[in-house]
Amino acid sequence: MGNIFLFSLIVGLASALVLIPFSKSNKSKEKEGKQSIAGGLITGIVLLIVGVFTFYYITNLDRNLTSLWVFAIIVTLGGTLFATGKERIFKGVLFLGTLIVGGIFLTSFLFNADEKFDIAKMKEKTEIETFDEKETPASVPPQFARNKMKKAFGQVPNTSYYELGNLQIQKVDGQYVYIAPVEFSGFFKWLNGDYTPGYFTISATDSSANPKFVQAEMNYTPSSFFNKKLERHIRMQYPKHIFYGDVQLEVDNDGKPYYIRSFGEFVSARNGFDVKGIVMVDPKTGETKEYSLANVPDFIDGAVSPEVVSLQNSYFGNYVHGFWNSKFGKKDVKLPSDEGTEANVSPIFDENGDMYYFTDFTSPKEGVDSMLGYSLTNSRTGEATYYTGNLEESYMDSQGALQIIEKKFIEKKWEGEMPVLYNFYGEASWLTPVLDSNGFLQNYFIVSAANPEISVYGNTPNEALKLYKTALQRGGGTVDGSSKAEEKQVSGTVVRVYKEKSGDSTVVTFLLDNKQSYVISSENSPLAIYLQEGDKVKVNYLDTGEVFMPAKEIVIDGLE
């Protein structure tokens, strides 16, 4: 608290010296003038100190001298207008100097676009490799999870004092869960409640799971007031830090909550942002610690806030050839999607349990839903990779996937939320939860990004995935591999056969004497329609580890 008082005192004193005129306009009134100047100076200092203190206390703005540039222009202008003679000339020079500084700050975005692009520059790859059909995606949409938490709010003591805070995803003790703190619902509730009682948690992979309330006393929260307000508490401890993005709740493996916030530095002249680390706060005691990104505690998943990632995606997509190109020529410009669940990005996890922020990029040309690429940004390190996709194919973007869902369920008025691109069986595919008008989960929709006519939906992600495998085979999709599946060959005798007509093709499911089942479409192997029990076969298949593994080719003895 002492820092803001000292800062306000110095700024108030300096401003008063500039603003109060010291010129003597009439020698006969010299004594009266001195008294007037003294009185005005004291009054000005007091008012300016109070004003500066109030402004910085309310706004939580960083207390660097550069944050005063607008204030400096106003004060020096006032000082110039009130002064006379040589004093006016001197203060006029000060005013001119503050105008030049203000001009630099106001126009810096025109000149630092290349620096912003360098900060956000990503490694580039062709096809996504992180996700495949063996993994269970964090597929419960946040709106649905939030609705379930609200229905379980009766678990909170003194329920009327509180409301549900911001929802975010995290890995806790090996499980993917949504976390949402309990927040105060107003000033008087804060006075009566004093502290919030805990947070809710719910599975991010199992839509049938119920939310659980975890008791944990939290005194410093975003919904508290005065010095207990979390953002203000952080600012008091780190008055000169540059923060970007909202505070986030993170829970360690023992269930203890912590709030974190990303900090960094401006690119130039108080414009742009480059993340450097986090500040972590114990919400019970108010104890704060600062960590660089390289030293963030292991339990923290979202060290780089989604707002920071969204900003860097904008830098990467827009400033490839500088600022003016982003506004006029737009050569190689690609716009990040705004369909993400948190600040226009969607948090997802890879097979190692590492969290990434997913974003797809589209063309700046209106009416085009073709995807130009997609990015994955590591939420702990900020390192990002941009995937161009198969350059021989045109991929549909997330907005296109959502439009297909809207048309598919137009009568029911269902909508998709949280579309994420996966590599299923070697096919770039959008997996999207579908919600009804009340925000309740109805099904999971999968559509091929390269072949939008191939789509399925099921009650669970795994059910939809099984249907999708069959749809790819009968629809002429590739089904030629996954990010992990190895192509193998097996020989054996057919024990059971099941054939299902699907459009102009037939899907053949068969069991060999090795007790393993396979599925193949007559689109890929026309002679498969003649398969019968007792046939000896050779099968080329993908070892996906599933109950029914996709076959690429089948050779039937006596028919080939």
Side-chain angles (χ1 to χ4, degrees):
M1 198 70 172
N3 183 283
I4 191 172
F5 279 127
L6 180 61
F7 182 81
S8 302
L9 177 63
I10 294 173
V11 173
L13 180 60
S15 301
L17 291 173
V18 174
L19 195 58
I20 304 299
F22 292 89
S23 309
K24 304 182 185 68
S25 57
N26 193 325
K27 291 184 178 180
S28 63
K29 298 181 179 179
E30 183 176 341
K31 184 176 181 181
E32 181 181 346
K34 287 182 178 180
Q35 293 176 346
S36 176
I37 290 173
L41 185 61
I42 294 173
T43 303
I45 290 174
V46 172
L47 291 177
L48 286 167
I49 289 174
V50 172
V52 170
F53 177 87
T54 302
F55 175 80
Y56 280 90
Y57 186 79
I58 292 175
T59 63
N60 292 319
L61 189 65
D62 64 282
R63 296 196 281 278
N64 293 289
L65 291 179
T66 56
S67 67
L68 293 163
W69 69 271
V70 175
F71 182 69
I73 291 176
I74 296 172
V75 169
T76 55
L77 175 60
T80 302
L81 294 176
F82 296 150
T84 59
K86 293 183 178 180
E87 183 182 350
R88 171 171 284 188
I89 296 175
F90 174 74
K91 292 183 177 179
V93 172
L94 288 180
F95 172 61
L96 182 60
T98 59
L99 274 183
I100 293 173
V101 172
I104 293 173
F105 286 163
L106 285 174
T107 60
S108 60
F109 68 93
L110 298 174
F111 307 104
N112 63 10
D114 290 339
E115 295 175 69
K116 291 176 179 176
F117 180 76
D118 288 340
I119 288 171
K121 202 167 185 178
M122 304 181 186
K123 294 181 293 184
E124 290 198 10
K125 293 185 178 180
T126 301
E127 200 62 69
I128 189 170
E129 298 177 352
T130 309
F131 307 96
D132 71 8
E133 69 284 346
K134 292 182 181 179
E135 307 304 326
T136 303
S139 53
V140 175
Q143 183 181 346
F144 175 67
R146 188 175 183 83
N147 284 344
K148 296 191 77 169
M149 287 181 179
K150 285 182 177 180
K151 290 185 178 298
F153 213 73
Q155 301 178 38
V156 180
N158 298 316
T159 306
S160 62
Y161 287 2
Y162 309 108
E163 62 187 13
L164 196 63
N166 292 332
L167 193 76
Q168 58 208 53
I169 197 170
Q170 191 187 348
K171 184 180 69 173
V172 180
D173 199 20
Q175 302 297 315
Y176 304 133
V177 296
Y178 284 109
I179 302 290
V182 172
E183 299 283 1
F184 292 109
S185 58
F187 176 73
F188 292 104
K189 302 298 176 62
W190 170 73
L191 286 177
N192 293 327
D194 193 33
Y195 63 87
T196 58
Y199 60 90
F200 277 96
T201 178
I202 190 173
S203 172
T205 59
D206 183 4
S207 59
S208 65
N210 291 317
K212 177 185 177 183
F213 175 69
V214 180
Q215 290 191 342
E217 180 181 325
M218 292 189 280
N219 296 294
Y220 297 85
T221 72
S223 59
S224 299
F225 291 84
F226 302 123
N227 286 357
K228 291 293 183 69
K229 185 174 180 63
L230 184 65
E231 292 87 342
R232 182 169 295 118
H233 177 71
I234 294 175
R235 173 56 69 201
M236 293 298 182
Q237 306 303 313
Y238 302 94
K240 294 186 176 182
H241 275 38
I242 309 301
F243 295 103
Y244 194 89
D246 294 332
V247 293
Q248 298 186 94
L249 187 69
E250 295 271 351
V251 178
D252 67 16
N253 290 333
D254 296 323
K256 180 174 176 56
Y258 294 89
Y259 275 106
I260 65 168
R261 196 176 190 190
S262 301
F263 74 87
E265 58 188 29
F266 293 116
V267 175
S268 65
R270 295 190 67 83
N271 181 264
F273 182 80
D274 185 18
V275 65
K276 296 299 181 183
I278 66 163
V279 167
M280 185 174 74
V281 182
D282 184 333
K284 182 177 182 180
T285 65
E287 180 184 358
T288 60
K289 291 182 180 179
E290 176 185 328
Y291 297 94
S292 66
L293 288 182
N295 298 313
V296 169
D298 292 339
F299 72 87
I300 291 178
D301 292 305
V304 182
S305 72
E307 292 87 357
V308 170
V309 175
S310 184
L311 183 68
Q312 293 184 343
N313 284 337
S314 177
Y315 293 163
F316 176 76
N318 283 285
Y319 298 144
V320 59
H321 298 304
F323 174 80
W324 294 112
N325 179 72
S326 70
K327 298 299 180 183
F328 299 106
K330 298 189 177 181
K331 179 184 177 182
D332 298 328
V333 167
K334 38 193 175 287
L335 301 181
S337 166
D338 59 359
E339 300 298 338
T341 58
E342 293 185 25
N344 298 332
V345 298
S346 293
I348 54 179
F349 291 85
D350 69 1
E351 71 274 15
N352 299 317
D354 296 326
M355 191 168 89
Y356 289 80
Y357 293 112
F358 169 84
T359 310
D360 65 301
F361 291 75
T362 190
S363 170
K365 187 176 180 179
E366 293 185 10
V368 177
D369 63 1
S370 178
M371 184 179 65
L372 300 180
Y374 42 95
S375 68
L376 290 175
T377 303
N378 189 295
S379 62
R380 283 176 56 86
T381 66
E383 295 179 357
T385 301
Y386 180 74
Y387 296 87
T388 61
N390 188 335
L391 300 178
E392 296 179 358
E393 296 181 342
S394 178
Y395 285 169
M396 173 179 60
D397 64 13
S398 58
Q399 184 62 42
L402 293 176
Q403 289 173 356
I404 289 177
I405 293 174
E406 183 179 354
K407 293 175 182 177
K408 184 77 173 180
F409 304 106
I410 190 169
E411 294 182 356
K412 296 181 179 180
K413 297 182 179 180
W414 293 354
E415 295 181 345
E417 180 183 324
M418 197 176 71
V420 176
L421 195 69
Y422 287 87
N423 183 342
F424 292 139
Y425 310 107
E427 188 87 2
S429 312
W430 289 104
L431 171 64
T432 309
V434 179
L435 307 180
D436 62 20
S437 57
N438 294 316
F440 291 104
L441 183 64
Q442 295 299 321
N443 60 53
Y444 291 89
F445 193 90
I446 303 179
V447 59
S448 168
N451 303 288
E453 67 277 5
I454 303 176
S455 64
V456 300
Y457 58 90
N459 292 329
T460 66
N462 286 335
E463 180 182 332
L465 198 55
K466 291 178 182 178
L467 295 172
Y468 187 59
K469 176 172 60 177
T470 304
L472 283 174
Q473 293 207 347
R474 68 169 181 259
T478 56
V479 198
D480 60 356
S482 71
S483 57
K484 298 293 183 183
E486 178 184 355
E487 185 174 334
K488 294 183 177 180
Q489 187 178 79
V490 66
S491 299
T493 302
V494 177
V495 178
R496 293 286 188 275
V497 180
Y498 176 75
K499 301 174 183 178
E500 179 185 12
K501 189 67 177 175
S502 179
D504 295 330
S505 62
T506 300
V507 177
V508 181
T509 305
F510 57 97
L511 174 68
L512 295 185
D513 54 2
N514 64 357
K515 306 301 182 182
Q516 178 62 57
S517 297
Y518 306 86
V519 60
I520 193 168
S521 172
S522 60
E523 291 255 2
N524 296 339
S525 187
L527 294 181
I529 61 174
Y530 300 119
L531 188 68
Q532 58 186 10
E533 295 175 8
D535 281 344
K536 296 186 181 299
V537 297
K538 292 181 180 179
V539 182
N540 290 337
Y541 70 98
L542 298 171
D543 188 9
T544 63
E546 299 171 288
V547 176
F548 297 93
M549 289 191 286
K552 294 181 61 180
E553 183 183 9
I554 183 171
V555 178
I556 306 172
D557 282 358
L559 294 184
E560 296 288 343

